Amino acid sequence: MSGLRRFIVIMLFDGVDLLDVTGPPEVFALLRRETDDETGYEVALAAETMDPVTTAAGVRVLPDLTFAEASGRAIDTLLVPGSVEVDEQRRVHALTEPAVVAWVGTLAGRSRRVASVCVGAHLLAAAGLLDGRRATTHWSTAQQLAADHPAVEVDADPIFIRDGGVWTGAGITACLDLSLALVSEDFGEAVALRVARQLVMYLKRPSGQSQFSVPIEPVSTTRRTAELRHFVAERIAGPLTIADLARHAHVSERQLTRIFKTELGMTPAAYVEAARVEVARNRLETTDDTLERVASGCGFGTIDTLIRAFRRKLDTTPTEYRARFRHSG
């Protein structure tokens, strides 16, 4: 079975950011749960030796194999996380240890594609893998990347960038968006969306009420769009007009509509309705709230508005949806 799987190597080294290492495997592991196909991923953590590696969080991680052993295999995807140091002025600097950079170059030569997570882009650049390419990294080190590597076209806005067989991701949590994009490329968007639904992004509402899920498909590709989606999720129960969204984004209403159509393939109003339907689905699946409370708590206002939205989006009614999908216990 393992022979059918794509071999993914995640690099380990002292001081590496823990979530850079553990985030992508969580995404890849969900793939197996969401498909009956035996294909998938074989994920291995590689380090210079088999000794435990201490991450920036202080958590020690055990490698599965050494860099030398990994270099003897055909690698489908090489994932390169990063590490930083913070000076006395709290300025963040990406680290590029020469020994790690050398292994990045070696393992990249054995890989079908290479992807960096967060400040791992600095390691790719130091290995010469980003020369002449467009790339992103964490916003706090983007200027450093551009200054240290003039041959790299640095764009600090996108959550991730693909340039040929080289991918770069932005902030630490963007590793989830990047990993979903890799799954989509390998197994199709439909499978990736099923995985995405398992990776519900939770946002605490200001009122202190329980957390609500917001649909994360399609994946946002710019921080501005991601921020707008968070803004919608945090205010899902209240009024959310185009004017409200445009004012939050500091753009005109016409420009806001262009942003939503380009990034998410729908109008702002359609996205707000889809987000409200998603929250309502969660309520119907997991609570005994009346339809009136569901409608009010999700920003629909009235039961009739809730019903019309469910018919448009899901071709069913809230009552029928609850009867079919209500979680027991």
Side-chain angles (χ1 to χ4, degrees):
M1 183 183 296
S2 62
L4 298 173
R5 294 181 181 159
R6 292 167 167 81
F7 184 46
I8 295 181
V9 172
I10 302 176
M11 298 186 69
L12 287 178
F13 43 87
D14 283 337
V16 68
D17 284 323
L18 180 61
L19 192 57
D20 286 5
V21 174
T22 59
E26 289 289 345
V27 177
F28 302 142
L30 285 172
L31 176 68
R32 184 182 303 179
R33 197 168 81 185
E34 290 301 315
T35 177
D36 295 328
D37 197 339
E38 292 185 347
T39 61
Y41 298 109
E42 175 190 353
V43 180
L45 306 181
E48 191 160 8
T49 71
M50 293 298 290
D51 295 333
V53 173
T54 303
T55 67
V59 177
R60 294 194 300 170
V61 180
L62 292 175
D64 297 304
L65 74 172
T66 66
F67 291 149
E69 290 170 336
S71 68
R73 295 187 57 176
I75 301 171
D76 179 83
T77 306
L78 177 67
L79 281 180
V80 182
S83 63
V84 301
E85 64 179 2
V86 182
D87 64 20
E88 295 178 352
Q89 284 74 44
R90 296 185 180 178
R91 292 174 299 192
V92 179
H93 302 274
L95 300 177
T96 53
E97 293 293 332
V100 177
V101 172
W103 277 114
V104 168
T106 299
L107 295 176
R110 298 285 298 160
S111 305
R112 177 178 69 89
R113 67 184 172 194
V114 179
S116 65
V117 181
C118 197
V119 297
H122 293 260
L123 291 168
L124 297 191
L129 299 174
L130 297 183
D131 287 353
R133 297 183 186 273
R134 181 167 166 260
T136 192
T137 188
H138 192 275
W139 61 266
S140 65
T141 67
Q143 288 187 348
Q144 178 191 350
L145 182 63
D148 292 347
H149 304 281
V152 180
E153 182 186 345
V154 179
D155 186 345
D157 184 56
I159 291 174
F160 61 85
I161 290 175
R162 176 189 180 184
D163 191 329
V166 179
W167 300 63
T168 51
I172 295 176
T173 55
C175 67
L176 302 180
D177 298 273
L178 174 62
S179 300
L180 281 170
L182 297 177
V183 170
S184 180
E185 181 183 59
D186 294 340
F187 298 98
E189 184 177 1
V191 171
L193 293 184
R194 293 208 302 272
V195 174
R197 288 193 59 79
Q198 298 300 325
L199 292 166
V200 177
M201 298 173 66
Y202 289 99
L203 294 169
K204 187 79 171 183
R205 286 176 51 140
S207 61
Q209 294 175 319
S210 59
Q211 299 172 347
F212 300 103
S213 64
V214 175
I216 67 173
E217 67 267 20
V219 173
S220 302
T221 58
T222 66
R223 292 193 181 98
R224 179 165 57 182
T225 308
E227 168 58 24
L228 281 167
R229 297 173 73 180
H230 289 182
F231 180 80
V232 169
E234 290 171 345
R235 295 158 178 79
I236 201 71
L240 280 169
T241 66
I242 294 180
D244 293 330
L245 295 174
R247 187 161 47 249
H248 177 74
H250 304 292
V251 297
S252 67
E253 293 183 23
R254 180 176 297 180
Q255 185 177 357
L256 180 83
T257 299
R258 285 199 299 267
I259 290 171
F260 268 77
K261 286 185 175 180
T262 300
E263 285 289 321
L264 302 177
M266 63 183 78
T267 65
Y271 178 77
V272 169
E273 182 179 73
R276 285 178 167 149
V277 167
E278 184 69 10
V279 176
R281 288 172 62 172
N282 179 273
R283 286 277 194 96
L284 293 169
E285 291 172 6
T286 60
T287 76
D288 292 319
D289 288 349
T290 64
L291 292 187
E292 184 177 11
R293 289 190 65 183
V294 171
S296 175
C298 300
F300 287 110
T302 68
I303 295 176
D304 286 344
T305 305
L306 172 68
I307 292 173
R308 287 196 296 271
F310 262 62
R311 287 198 181 280
R312 278 194 297 270
K313 296 292 184 181
L314 305 176
D315 195 26
T316 188
T317 67
T319 300
E320 291 167 345
Y321 184 89
R322 170 174 271 168
R324 182 173 181 182
F325 296 108
R326 175 74 171 91
H327 295 178
S328 61

